[in-house]
């Protein structure tokens, strides 16, 4: 029961299971949709356009959705989000089978999927601290488990996508993806019922444009008032933008032209996920003993640019596979550091609003990344595009070594302490997002 002494692990287990299933489905989309576009159009540019249409609404919903989540209720938002995503993804192969899928229709369906996807992710993410208390476990343990389960699901989903695309085609993979979203919705609907933190905020002011704008402004003011959080957002913004170009265009094109096709694409993505899971577990076991800033600064450089360089300079699977594992390990260390910093610094009443602002900032460049990658491939070739985007990634990840605000990453936990500028000090040990 909420706020009582009775421990109930069912809601936390339901959220972990739902998020893992939804994440596995997202991996199917991540591989299935670009491959479907390349198979049906043969155009890297069109793959970039679809990636743009899929990610721009993600940014829009993150920009404006924070206050809505608390008013509607985190449980309801998560269920509605997964249901809409499932229906949008299922429509792609069904319309294709009926010979009624125009390119603009595909773009619209991916836009609907993107618009609905972020609120559900945010709703589950911000529930973790409350469900940890509900289950009688620590925040660090629950958040680490959330990250580890998500990474494992991402790895399994990627491996399945590669194999299934080769065996039964991208259309069937997208139907399976739709089923995962609907399963996630059912788990949240049943498993999180009765948890007070998942229900609408009844004490909120009456709904009006003025209160909505005030609540939205509070989330962004909090973000802009904290230099470390702002530095994190700017760095991750560039990382996510180039990663979107990598996942939606560059890696599928490279796998199709130079490697073994969909199976290698799934293998490489799964190896990156396996490395990420290993990195998260390693950090939980020993990494927390060292300086957070030092560990983060090294791993953030290793997680991105090397992949682009190796893919640009080699045309075989093995070197890139090794690089993907090592980059994944480095990337797996990052989220455990960042998430506890975020959880530890943001008050509960602002969590949905600030989390929405963080998500919007971090994902702002994703639409441009996918579109730019497609245009670069068509204009400069795959190798030139890989080198150009890898250079952007490298410059972005040097930020923790250059800017003084990152030194606060090693501050002791002090959530709620306010400095003279009005910012809340960051804190915490490691967790994830």
């Amino acid at each position: 029961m909420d706020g009582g002494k009775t421990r109930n692990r069912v809601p936390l287990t339901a959220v972990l299971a739902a998020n893992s299933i939804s994440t596995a489905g997202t991996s199917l989309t991540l591989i299935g949709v670009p491959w479907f576009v390349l198979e049906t159009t043969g155009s890297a540019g069109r793959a970039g356009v679809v990636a743009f249409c899929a990610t721009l609404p993600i940014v829009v919903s993150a920009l404006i959705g924070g206050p809505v989540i608390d008013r509607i209720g985190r449980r309801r938002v998560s269920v509605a989000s997964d249901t809409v995503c499932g229906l949008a993804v299922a429509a792609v192969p069904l319309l294709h089978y009926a010979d009624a899928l125009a390119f603009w229709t595909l773009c619209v369906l991916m836009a609907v999927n993107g618009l609905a996807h972020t609120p559900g992710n945010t709703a589950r993410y911000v529930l973790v601290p409350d469900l940890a208390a509900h289950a009688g476990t620590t925040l660090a343990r629950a958040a680490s488990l959330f990250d580890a389960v998500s990474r494992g699901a991402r790895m399994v989903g990627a491996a399945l996508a590669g194999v299934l695309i080769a065996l039964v085609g991208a259309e069937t993979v997208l139907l399976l993806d739709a089923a995962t979203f609907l399963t996630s919705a059912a788990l949240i609907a049943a498993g999180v019922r009765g948890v007070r933190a998942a229900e609408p905020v009844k004490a909120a002011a009456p709904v009006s444009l003025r209160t909505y704008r005030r609540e939205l402004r509070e989330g962004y003011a909090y973000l802009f008032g904290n230099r470390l959080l702002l530095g994190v957002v700017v760095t991750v913004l560039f990382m996510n933008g180039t990663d979107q170009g990598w996942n939606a265009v560059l890696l599928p094109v490279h796998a199709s032209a130079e490697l073994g096709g969909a199976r290698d694409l799934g293998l490489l993505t799964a190896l990156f996920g396996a490395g990420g899971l290993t990195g998260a577990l390693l950090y939980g076991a020993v990494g927390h003993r060292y300086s957070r800033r030092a560990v983060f600064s090294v791993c953030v450089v290793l997680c991105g640019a090397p992949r682009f360089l190796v893919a640009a300079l080699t045309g075989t699977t093995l070197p890139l596979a090794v690089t993907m594992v090592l980059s994944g390990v480095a990337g797996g260390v990052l989220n455990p550091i960042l998430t506890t910093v975020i959880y530890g610094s943001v008050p509960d009443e602002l969590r949905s609003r600030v989390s929405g602002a963080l998500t919007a900032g971090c994902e702002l460049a994703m639409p441009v990344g996918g579109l730019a990658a497609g245009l670069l491939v068509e204009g400069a070739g795959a190798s030139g595009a890989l080198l150009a985007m890898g250079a952007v990634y490298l410059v972005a990840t040097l930020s923790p070594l250059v800017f003084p605000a990152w030194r606060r990453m090693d501050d002791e936990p002090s959530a709620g302490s306010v400095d003279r500028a009005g910012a809340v000090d960051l804190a915490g040990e490691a967790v994830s997002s």
Side-chain angles (χ1 to χ4, degrees):
M1 296 171 58
D2 254 358
K5 295 182 179 179
T6 303
R7 297 181 179 182
N8 184 0
R9 293 185 174 89
V10 171
L12 179 60
T13 302
V15 167
L16 292 173
N19 200 64
S20 66
I21 292 170
S22 180
T23 301
T26 301
S27 289
L28 298 179
T29 304
L30 184 69
I31 294 175
V33 170
W35 201 262
F36 176 80
V37 176
L38 288 174
E39 275 189 335
T40 55
T41 71
S43 169
R46 286 202 166 194
V49 171
V50 172
F52 176 84
C53 293
T55 50
L56 181 62
I58 292 177
V59 178
V60 172
S61 64
L63 281 168
I64 64 175
V68 174
I69 292 172
D70 286 338
R71 292 186 176 280
I72 297 177
R74 295 163 181 174
R75 173 174 165 270
R76 293 176 183 174
V77 168
S78 181
V79 172
S81 169
D82 280 337
T83 301
V84 172
C85 287
L87 294 175
V89 171
V92 173
L94 293 178
L95 288 173
H96 178 70
Y97 289 140
D99 199 24
L101 183 66
F103 181 70
W104 69 266
T105 309
L106 174 62
C107 291
V108 169
L109 289 171
M110 288 300 97
V112 170
N113 178 72
L115 187 67
H117 185 67
T118 295
N121 274 357
T122 302
R124 289 189 294 272
Y125 176 76
V126 298
L127 269 174
V128 171
D130 296 289
L131 298 186
H134 204 66
T137 189
T138 65
L139 171 58
R141 184 175 299 168
S144 295
L145 188 59
F146 186 88
D147 184 61
V149 168
S150 297
R151 289 182 180 277
R154 195 173 296 122
M155 173 184 65
V156 171
L160 278 175
V163 172
L164 290 175
I165 287 173
L167 292 177
V168 297
E171 298 90 340
T172 302
V173 169
L174 293 178
L175 287 174
L176 178 60
D177 182 16
T180 65
F181 281 116
L182 298 177
T183 303
S184 173
L187 282 169
I188 294 294
V192 191
R193 185 183 300 275
V195 176
R196 189 180 306 150
E199 299 306 319
V201 178
K202 295 180 180 178
V207 177
S208 70
L209 184 59
R210 176 180 295 180
T211 57
Y212 178 81
R213 286 189 305 194
R214 175 179 56 78
E215 292 174 1
L216 197 64
R217 188 166 56 247
E218 286 174 351
Y220 284 94
Y222 191 97
L223 171 60
F224 282 99
N226 190 301
R227 292 183 180 180
L228 177 54
L229 270 183
L230 194 58
V232 167
V233 167
V234 172
T235 300
V236 177
L237 178 152
F238 284 100
M239 293 171 66
N240 280 346
T242 47
D243 272 331
Q244 176 65 13
W246 170 267
N247 290 319
V249 178
L250 298 178
L251 185 58
V253 168
H254 183 65
S256 176
E258 303 288 342
L259 307 180
R263 289 189 181 182
D264 278 0
L265 175 59
L267 170 66
L268 291 169
T269 308
L271 288 174
F272 187 77
L277 177 59
T278 303
L281 295 175
L282 281 175
Y283 185 83
V286 298
H288 61 279
R289 302 174 186 172
Y290 304 98
S291 160
R292 286 195 291 271
R293 185 188 179 214
V295 173
F296 187 91
S297 297
V298 172
C299 290
V300 78
V301 172
L302 295 177
C303 77
R307 297 180 263 143
F308 292 81
L309 179 63
V310 172
L313 299 181
T314 65
T316 55
T317 303
L318 182 59
L320 186 54
V322 173
T323 306
M324 290 288 278
V325 172
L326 297 177
S327 295
V329 171
V333 171
L334 304 181
N335 277 350
I337 294 173
L338 293 178
T339 296
T340 295
V341 161
I342 295 167
Y343 280 151
S345 75
V346 182
D348 177 65
E349 62 272 16
L350 292 177
R351 202 184 299 150
S352 293
R353 301 169 209 172
V354 175
S355 195
L358 284 165
T359 301
C362 289
E363 295 180 345
L364 196 61
M366 288 176 64
V368 178
L371 184 61
L375 296 176
L376 280 170
V377 169
E378 301 225 332
S383 295
L386 284 162
L387 290 173
M389 299 201 77
V392 172
Y393 209 121
L394 177 62
V395 171
T397 54
L398 294 176
S399 170
L401 297 172
V402 176
F403 296 105
W406 289 88
R407 295 172 188 164
R408 296 176 61 193
M409 188 169 271
D410 285 321
D411 288 352
E412 289 301 313
S414 54
S417 63
V418 182
D419 63 22
R420 284 176 292 181
V424 176
D425 289 338
L426 282 184
E429 304 184 4
V431 183
S432 74
S433 71

